[in-house]
Coordinates of all heavy atoms in Angstrom, one line a residue:
I548 N 139.8 165.7 48.0 CA 138.8 166.6 47.5 C 138.8 166.7 46.0 O 139.9 166.4 45.4 CB 138.9 168.1 48.0 CG1 140.3 168.7 47.6 CG2 138.8 168.1 49.6 CD1 140.3 170.2 47.9
P549 N 137.7 166.9 45.3 CA 137.7 167.0 43.9 C 138.6 168.2 43.4 O 138.6 169.2 44.1 CB 136.4 167.2 43.5 CG 135.6 166.7 44.6 CD 136.4 166.9 45.9
L550 N 139.4 168.1 42.4 CA 140.2 169.2 42.0 C 139.5 170.5 41.7 O 140.0 171.5 42.0 CB 141.0 168.7 40.7 CG 142.0 169.8 40.2 CD1 143.0 170.2 41.2 CD2 142.8 169.2 38.9
D551 N 138.2 170.3 41.1 CA 137.5 171.6 40.8 C 137.0 172.3 42.0 O 136.5 173.4 42.0 CB 136.4 171.3 39.9 CG 135.4 170.3 40.4 OD1 135.7 169.6 41.4 OD2 134.4 170.0 39.7
E552 N 137.2 171.7 43.3 CA 136.9 172.4 44.5 C 138.0 172.9 45.2 O 138.0 173.6 46.3 CB 136.1 171.4 45.4 CG 134.7 170.9 45.0 CD 134.0 169.9 45.9 OE1 134.5 169.9 47.0 OE2 133.1 169.3 45.4
F553 N 139.2 172.7 44.6 CA 140.5 173.1 45.3 C 140.7 174.6 45.1 O 141.4 175.2 45.9 CB 141.6 172.3 44.7 CG 142.9 172.5 45.2 CD1 143.3 172.3 46.7 CD2 144.0 173.0 44.4 CE1 144.5 172.7 47.1 CE2 145.3 173.2 45.0 CZ 145.5 173.0 46.3
Y554 N 140.3 175.1 44.0 CA 140.6 176.6 43.7 C 139.5 177.5 44.1 O 138.3 177.3 43.6 CB 140.9 176.7 42.2 CG 142.0 175.8 41.7 CD1 141.7 174.7 40.9 CD2 143.4 176.0 42.1 CE1 142.7 173.9 40.5 CE2 144.3 175.1 41.7 CZ 144.0 174.0 40.9 OH 145.0 173.2 40.5
L555 N 139.7 178.3 45.0 CA 138.7 179.2 45.7 C 138.7 180.6 45.0 O 137.7 181.3 45.1 CB 139.0 179.3 47.3 CG 139.1 178.1 48.0 CD1 139.4 178.3 49.4 CD2 137.8 177.2 47.8
G556 N 139.8 181.1 44.5 CA 139.9 182.3 43.8 C 141.4 182.5 43.4 O 142.1 181.5 43.6
Y557 N 141.7 183.6 42.8 CA 143.0 183.8 42.2 C 144.0 183.5 43.3 O 144.2 184.3 44.3 CB 143.2 185.2 41.7 CG 144.6 185.4 41.0 CD1 144.9 184.8 39.9 CD2 145.5 186.2 41.7 CE1 146.1 185.0 39.3 CE2 146.8 186.5 41.1 CZ 147.1 185.8 40.0 OH 148.3 186.0 39.4
Q558 N 144.9 182.5 43.2 CA 146.0 182.2 44.1 C 145.5 181.8 45.4 O 146.2 181.9 46.4 CB 147.0 183.2 44.1 CG 147.9 183.5 42.9 CD 148.7 182.2 42.5 OE1 149.5 181.7 43.2 NE2 148.5 181.8 41.3
K559 N 144.2 181.4 45.5 CA 143.6 181.0 46.8 C 143.2 179.5 46.6 O 142.4 179.2 45.7 CB 142.4 181.8 47.2 CG 142.8 183.3 47.5 CD 141.5 184.0 47.8 CE 141.9 185.5 48.2 NZ 140.6 186.2 48.6
K560 N 143.7 178.7 47.5 CA 143.4 177.3 47.5 C 142.8 176.8 48.8 O 142.9 177.5 49.8 CB 144.7 176.5 47.2 CG 145.1 176.4 45.7 CD 145.9 177.5 45.3 CE 147.3 177.5 45.9 NZ 148.2 178.6 45.4
A561 N 142.1 175.7 48.7 CA 141.4 175.1 49.9 C 142.5 174.3 50.8 O 142.3 173.1 50.9 CB 140.4 174.2 49.4
L562 N 143.5 175.0 51.2 CA 144.6 174.4 52.1 C 144.5 175.1 53.4 O 144.4 176.3 53.6 CB 145.9 174.7 51.4 CG 146.3 173.8 50.1 CD1 147.5 174.3 49.5 CD2 146.4 172.3 50.4
T563 N 144.7 174.3 54.4 CA 144.9 174.8 55.8 C 146.4 174.9 56.1 O 147.2 174.4 55.3 CB 144.3 173.8 56.8 OG1 145.0 172.6 56.7 CG2 142.8 173.6 56.6
A564 N 146.7 175.6 57.1 CA 148.2 175.8 57.4 C 148.8 174.5 57.7 O 148.3 173.6 58.4 CB 148.3 176.7 58.7
G565 N 150.0 174.3 57.0 CA 150.7 173.0 57.2 C 150.3 171.9 56.4 O 150.7 170.8 56.5
E566 N 149.2 172.1 55.4 CA 148.7 171.1 54.6 C 149.3 171.2 53.2 O 149.6 172.3 52.7 CB 147.2 171.3 54.5 CG 146.4 170.1 53.9 CD 144.9 170.2 54.0 OE1 144.4 171.4 53.7 OE2 144.3 169.3 54.2
F567 N 149.5 170.0 52.6 CA 150.1 170.1 51.3 C 149.5 169.0 50.4 O 148.8 168.1 50.8 CB 151.7 169.7 51.4 CG 152.0 168.4 52.0 CD1 152.2 167.3 51.2 CD2 152.1 168.3 53.4 CE1 152.5 166.0 51.8 CE2 152.4 167.1 54.0 CZ 152.7 166.0 53.2
V568 N 149.7 169.1 49.1 CA 149.2 168.2 48.0 C 150.2 167.0 48.1 O 151.4 167.1 47.7 CB 149.1 168.8 46.7 CG1 148.7 167.8 45.6 CG2 148.2 170.0 46.7
A569 N 149.7 165.8 48.3 CA 150.5 164.6 48.4 C 150.4 163.8 47.0 O 151.3 163.2 46.6 CB 150.1 163.8 49.5

Side-chain angles (χ1 to χ4, degrees):
I548 65 171
L550 182 56
D551 57 354
E552 296 178 10
F553 182 58
Y554 305 109
L555 306 179
Y557 181 71
Q558 292 297 305
K559 294 181 179 179
K560 278 87 70 175
L562 288 170
T563 61
E566 191 173 41
F567 60 92
V568 178

